[in-house]
């Protein structure tokens, strides 16, 4: 095997898909040729007011089947199933010829004494620590010995829904100790050994194996990278600022070319409360991230647990200055959140590592560009909040076979995206050694930035602790809530969902709709290697209905604008993932009026998953989820004959004892439970194509 073939094999073994064509030259020619015709196309959709809002026209992920060096390439995938209609049924709906079975719903025992799930809501915190968590989200399948019917399913548990989590809803503050422990134990990550069961088809089962593990809001972790040991990480628990406890609000995920899992800390700020300060001058590490102040309450009021959990495990969620110094209280506890966390699923005793080089923000997810031996590794991550940014991490060390996270993820440069109106884009370094950034920091010193009296950065660790502020100063482009990213295995083109932003008043080219209630998908191609500092972008899809201001359309690039139809209307794209064939899977996360069917933009049914051919613009609805649920998290076994999809928060408009969904039991009485579902074709064939 050549070194590149070896890497490809490692990627396959880890459940990934090898990049087969890293060349972008042909596509760059397409961009230049298509730019002006694309402007005309998008003007048709957006109207005269949008003239000039248009990015470059990129060719789709597909088309090319050969590369300059003759290496193998993927053919453009063609979807073979018929689109299904929208639905409001409380179940999973799939095209003809597909079947599904639930696997590992919330509360499934995987560890220790294997305590059974209790539908009366009376499982204890200690039992929850031995069970699958709640609110399944991002997920990856790590094959064991390359198998497609046996592996480790590793998945995030984003949050809990108090109204269905406890027997009769949550108790008021001060919160009973065991309710708090159980809530903390339902957060984090599950590592579950699974295999296809004797029944075959979409029937899989949990293996009571040695890899099974729960990582929760309680698990001890190591701080790594430039922020390790920083004064602003020092706490009563870790006076040297090198350790932390727990991971929170783990939304989407990532994985690495070397076979580890990355969990992402998204909406972590609301778990804390600064009990001693409600001023605008409270720490910028809290202010710029919306950590509640003394006049507000934390989301679950864990800091009020009574009696308190030992070792300050609950009181640490008060990040006020309650002690004489930082090492006598938890004023810095919130600074241990907002990171990318690396977990080795094949070492159940390993300590998760928070990789501070990759920045501190509301990490939705993280995705790598295909690694190339001798070049840096590159990861992309979005900050899911209104008007926040898209980031790129470029490692300092170049990739060599056998390298792992400690070699590649502790040193590097974090960039933030600036999307120009002419279809070009720039990656702006957030690095004090970068002259442009250093000059911007110097110019901002003494000014008010994002409501903060900015007085400079002490060091690069300070920059990373305040990543959002650094990106503000650099001049990044405010986006409509960046969610998941996906990299085309054929072209290297990067796709990102921008789920919605109803508060957008001022439009720009990359965010072209005011009051963007239905969201869109943007994409770009780097100018050269993945580590390039400039790129070309355009809009791939405007999500929405069939008419009105939020009418949806696809812009595949090689053909004309394609309005959305009943086959593919969708709102609030969130999860996005390329399978090994190059099919782009798109998942939706509608909430509020859209979820209830009261949106003026169209009736989109329950949340759904679609499949897209990015070169032709063909998009078909593949799956509709149960009531009041988000469809999020998708991965396939290497043979692409088994797909795993997560159904999060079915029945999330429930009241205690009055459930709006009984998924997955579907018996009219049971508690709704977030669940992984296993999908196969009834003929056992490859999914989607
Ligand atoms: Fe947790 Fe941005 O969705
Ligand atoms: Ca999400
Ligand atoms: Ca979302």
């Amino acid at each position: 095997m050549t070194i590149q073939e070896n890497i490809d094999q490692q990627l396959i073994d880890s459940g990934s898909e090898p990049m087969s064509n890293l060349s972008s030259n042909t596509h760059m020619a397409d961009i230049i040729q298509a730019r002006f015709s694309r402007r005309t196309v998008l003007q048709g959709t957006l109207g005269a007011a949008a003239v000039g809002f248009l990015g470059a026209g990129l060719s789709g992920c597909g088309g090319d089947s050969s590369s300059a060096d003759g290496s193998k390439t993927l053919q453009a995938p063609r979807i073979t199933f018929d689109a299904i209609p929208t639905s409001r049924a409380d179940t999973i709906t799939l095209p003809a010829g597909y079947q599904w079975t639930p696997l590992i719903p919330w509360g499934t025992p995987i560890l220790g004494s294997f305590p059974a799930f209790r539908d009366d809501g009376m499982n204890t915190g200690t039992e929850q620590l031995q069970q699958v968590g709640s609110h399944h989200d991002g997920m990856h399948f790590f094959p064991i010995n390359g198998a497609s019917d046996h592996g480790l399913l590793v998945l995030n548990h984003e949050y809990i829904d108090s109204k269905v989590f406890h027997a009769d809803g949550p108790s008021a503050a001060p919160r009973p100790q065991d309710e708090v422990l159980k809530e903390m134990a339902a957060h984090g990550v599950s590592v579950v050994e699974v295999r296809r069961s004797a029944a075959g088809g979409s029937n899989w089962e949990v293996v009571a194996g040695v890899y099974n593990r729960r990582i929760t809001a309680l698990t001890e972790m190591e701080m790594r990278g430039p922020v390790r040991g920083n004064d602003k990480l020092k706490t009563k628990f870790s006076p040297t600022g090198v350790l932390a406890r727990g991971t929170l609000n783990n939304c989407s995920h990532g994985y690495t070319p070397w076979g580890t899992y990355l969990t992402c800390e998204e909406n972590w700020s609301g778990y804390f409360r600064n009990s001693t300060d409600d001023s605008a001058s409270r720490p910028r590490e809290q202010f710029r991230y919306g950590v509640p102040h003394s006049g507000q309450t934390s989301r679950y009021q864990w800091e009020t647990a009574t009696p308190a959990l030992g070792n300050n495990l609950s009181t640490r969620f008060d990040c006020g200055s309650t002690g004489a110094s930082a090492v006598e209280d938890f004023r810095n506890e919130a600074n241990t959140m907002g990171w990318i966390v690396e977990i080795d699923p094949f070492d159940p005793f390993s300590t998760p590592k928070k990789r501070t080089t990759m920045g501190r923000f509301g990490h939705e997810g993280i995705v790598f560009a295909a690694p190339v031996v001798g070049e840096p590794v590159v990861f992309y991550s979005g900050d899911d909040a209104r008007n926040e940014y898209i980031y790129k991490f470029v490692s300092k060390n170049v990739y060599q076979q056998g390298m792992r996270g400690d070699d590649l993820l502790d040193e590097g440069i974090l960039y933030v995206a600036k999307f120009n109106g002419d279809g070009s884009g720039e990656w702006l370094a957030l690095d004090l050694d970068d002259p442009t950034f250093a000059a911007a920091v110097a110019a901002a010193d003494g000014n008010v930035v994002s409501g903060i009296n900015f007085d400079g950065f002490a060091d690069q660790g300070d920059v990373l602790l305040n990543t959002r502020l650094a990106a503000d100063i650099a001049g990044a482009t405010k986006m409509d809530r960046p969610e998941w990213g996906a990299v085309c295995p054929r072209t290297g083109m990067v796709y990102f969902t921008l789920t919605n932003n109803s508060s957008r008043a001022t439009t720009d080219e990359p965010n072209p709709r005011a009051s963007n209630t239905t969201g869109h998908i943007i994409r770009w191609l780097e100018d050269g290697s993945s580590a390039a500092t400039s790129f070309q972008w355009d809009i791939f899809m405007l999500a929405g209905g069939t008419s009105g201001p939020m009418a949806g359309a696809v812009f595949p690039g090689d053909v004309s604008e394609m309005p959305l139809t009943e086959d593919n209307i969708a709102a609030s794209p969130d999860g996005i993932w390329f399978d090994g064939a190059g099919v782009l899977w798109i998942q939706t996360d509608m909430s509020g009026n859209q979820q209830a069917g009261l949106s003026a933009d169209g009736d989109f049914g329950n949340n759904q998953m679609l499949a897209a051919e990015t070169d032709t613009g063909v998009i078909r609805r593949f799956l509709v989820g149960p009531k009041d649920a988000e469809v999020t998290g998708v991965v396939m076994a290497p043979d692409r004959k088994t797909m795993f999809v997560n159904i999060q928060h079915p029945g999330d408009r429930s009241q205690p004892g009055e459930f709006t969904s009984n998924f997955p039991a579907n018996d009219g009485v049971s508690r709704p439970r977030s669940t992984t579902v296993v999908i196969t074709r009834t003929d056992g064939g490859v999914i989607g194509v």
Side-chain angles (χ1 to χ4, degrees):
M1 272 193 211
T2 65
I3 291 175
Q4 188 60 48
E5 285 169 343
N6 252 317
I7 293 170
D8 288 351
Q9 188 58 50
Q10 286 177 29
L11 289 167
I12 291 166
D13 291 346
S14 70
S16 178
E17 311 84 36
M19 169 69 79
S20 48
N21 181 3
L22 295 164
S23 162
S24 59
N25 296 339
T26 54
H27 296 282
M28 294 309 297
D30 293 343
I31 289 164
I32 293 157
Q33 205 165 29
R35 177 168 298 174
F36 295 102
S37 61
R38 298 272 298 122
R39 285 176 178 270
T40 311
V41 166
L42 273 167
Q43 283 170 26
T45 293
L46 297 171
V51 170
F53 278 18
L54 316 167
L58 301 181
S59 160
C61 181
D64 282 357
S65 59
S66 62
S67 59
D69 65 0
S71 62
K72 64 185 168 62
T73 59
L74 294 167
Q75 297 297 318
R78 294 294 172 248
I79 298 165
T80 54
F81 62 86
D82 293 328
I84 60 170
T86 60
S87 169
R88 292 200 170 275
D90 188 27
T91 187
I92 300 285
T93 310
L94 294 170
Y98 286 84
Q99 60 194 355
W100 67 278
T101 306
L103 177 71
I104 57 168
W106 160 52
T108 300
I110 58 169
L111 283 173
S113 63
F114 289 79
F117 175 74
R118 290 182 58 165
D119 195 67
D120 62 5
M122 294 299 287
N123 280 121
T124 65
T126 301
E127 289 170 339
Q128 177 66 74
L129 284 165
Q130 303 167 72
Q131 299 170 329
V132 169
S134 191
H135 286 53
H136 304 28
D137 208 314
M139 166 173 57
H140 192 66
F141 180 82
F142 294 88
I144 290 178
N145 297 325
S148 284
D149 56 4
H150 184 200
L152 301 184
L153 204 55
V154 185
L155 62 153
N156 287 345
H157 301 294
E158 188 177 21
Y159 64 103
I160 59 111
D161 181 354
S162 311
K163 290 174 178 168
V164 302
F165 188 72
H166 299 292
D168 297 304
S171 301
R175 303 286 317 281
Q177 184 192 63
D178 199 62
E179 282 190 16
V180 170
L181 178 64
K182 184 178 175 184
E183 292 177 11
M184 289 184 185
H187 280 70
V189 175
S190 290
V191 180
V192 192
E193 186 176 344
V194 294
R195 68 181 169 212
R196 197 185 310 276
S197 70
S202 55
N203 296 286
W204 283 55
E205 63 190 6
V206 172
V207 179
V210 296
Y211 298 119
N212 290 358
R213 183 180 188 187
R214 283 303 321 284
I215 290 161
T216 70
L218 303 155
T219 305
E220 188 167 311
M221 310 204 169
E222 183 184 358
M223 303 302 303
R224 299 281 303 199
V227 191
R228 177 184 171 89
N230 191 293
D231 283 348
K232 292 177 183 172
L233 284 188
K234 293 176 178 172
T235 64
K236 190 174 181 179
F237 169 71
S238 181
T240 55
V242 299
L243 297 177
R245 290 180 293 186
T247 186
L248 292 172
N249 210 264
N250 306 92
C251 190
S252 179
H253 74 301
Y255 61 101
T256 66
W258 47 94
T260 58
Y261 184 78
L262 301 173
T263 193
C264 306
E265 299 175 341
E266 190 196 18
N267 295 311
W268 47 271
S269 63
Y271 290 73
F272 296 92
R273 175 173 178 262
N274 181 336
S275 68
T276 61
D277 198 347
D278 67 355
S279 73
S281 60
R282 64 189 184 278
R284 62 192 187 184
E285 295 81 18
Q286 297 178 9
F287 183 88
R288 183 64 180 84
Y289 295 89
V291 172
H293 56 67
S294 60
Q296 300 171 314
T297 54
S298 64
R299 186 178 308 160
Y300 301 120
Q301 299 182 286
W302 287 347
E303 74 281 5
T304 72
T306 303
L309 289 166
N311 297 321
N312 299 113
L313 278 165
S314 52
T315 53
R316 68 192 162 119
F317 287 95
D318 178 352
C319 57
S321 298
T322 57
S325 71
V327 297
E328 292 175 54
D329 61 24
F330 290 91
R331 68 187 65 178
N332 289 328
E333 185 73 3
N335 299 343
T336 69
M337 293 291 166
W339 307 106
I340 297 293
V341 187
E342 186 177 18
I343 296 166
D344 183 352
F346 288 101
D347 181 357
F349 302 105
S350 58
T351 301
K353 296 176 179 178
K354 299 205 177 194
R355 299 292 185 186
T356 65
T357 329
M358 302 173 111
R360 176 172 177 258
F361 47 91
H363 282 283
E364 169 74 19
I366 189 160
V367 63
F368 62 77
V372 178
V373 166
E375 294 187 16
V377 295
V378 171
F379 287 82
Y380 301 95
S381 184
D383 185 353
D384 180 13
R386 286 175 289 186
N387 304 317
E388 291 297 342
Y389 308 123
I390 295 174
Y391 297 84
K392 173 165 97 168
F393 169 79
V394 178
S395 68
K396 177 185 176 189
N397 291 329
V398 298
Y399 187 58
Q400 304 293 345
Q401 200 173 351
M403 277 188 162
R404 295 177 64 82
D406 287 355
D407 306 311
L408 294 164
L409 300 184
D410 280 344
E411 292 180 282
I413 296 180
L414 186 67
Y415 295 86
V416 68
K418 181 183 180 191
F419 293 85
N420 299 320
D422 63 357
S424 66
E426 302 160 56
W427 292 109
L428 311 173
L430 306 179
D431 184 335
L432 290 173
D433 290 336
D434 180 86
T436 304
F437 181 66
V441 169
D445 203 339
N447 296 335
V448 175
V449 181
S450 299
I452 293 162
N453 291 315
F454 180 64
D455 59 356
F457 292 118
D459 50 32
Q460 186 59 24
D462 202 17
V463 171
L464 293 165
L465 275 162
N466 294 282
T467 300
R468 283 182 174 173
L469 185 60
D472 296 336
I473 289 166
T477 304
K478 293 178 163 66
M479 308 299 286
D480 286 347
R481 294 188 52 200
E483 299 254 24
W484 292 45
V487 181
C488 178
R490 195 197 319 277
T491 62
M493 199 177 296
V494 188
Y495 289 68
F496 256 74
T497 50
L498 300 161
T499 194
N500 57 55
N501 184 356
S502 55
S503 69
R504 177 166 292 278
T506 306
T507 59
D508 56 18
E509 296 82 355
N511 302 279
R513 294 191 292 190
S515 185
N516 181 11
T517 50
T518 53
H520 56 288
I521 298 174
I522 200 166
R523 61 181 177 176
W524 64 84
L525 195 59
E526 304 283 3
D527 288 339
S529 76
S530 299
T533 54
S534 64
F535 58 91
Q536 305 293 318
W537 67 269
D538 76 355
I539 287 172
F540 172 65
M541 178 184 186
L542 296 171
T546 54
S547 63
M550 289 295 125
V554 190
F555 308 94
D558 299 341
V559 297
S560 299
E561 167 192 1
M562 299 168 68
L564 297 190
T565 70
E566 294 302 326
D567 282 353
N568 53 23
I569 57 168
S572 301
D574 186 341
I576 191 171
W577 177 71
F578 275 105
D579 70 23
V583 174
L584 182 65
W585 298 87
I586 302 166
Q587 303 176 310
T588 69
D589 175 20
M590 299 178 294
S591 57
N593 278 353
Q594 283 177 348
Q595 182 175 253
L598 303 174
S599 164
D601 305 324
D603 185 347
F604 303 102
N606 296 340
N607 276 304
Q608 57 177 292
M609 182 166 73
L610 309 126
E613 299 172 3
T614 54
D615 59 332
T616 66
V618 167
I619 302 181
R620 292 185 192 147
R621 188 176 300 107
F622 176 78
L623 177 152
V624 179
K627 283 176 66 177
D628 298 347
E630 172 183 349
V631 180
T632 182
V634 53
V635 68
M636 291 183 190
D639 65 4
R640 292 190 276 118
K641 294 178 178 178
T642 301
M643 172 185 266
F644 302 92
V645 173
N646 278 335
I647 302 299
Q648 189 189 95
H649 66 68
D652 84 333
R653 291 183 299 154
S654 297
Q655 293 298 321
E658 294 175 32
F659 304 131
T660 63
S661 166
N662 307 106
F663 189 80
N666 293 104
D667 56 2
V669 294
S670 288
R671 203 168 282 273
R673 298 162 74 185
S674 294
T675 305
T676 302
V677 296
V678 184
I679 296 167
T680 58
R681 263 169 59 165
T682 51
D683 67 2
V686 172
I687 290 170
V689 295

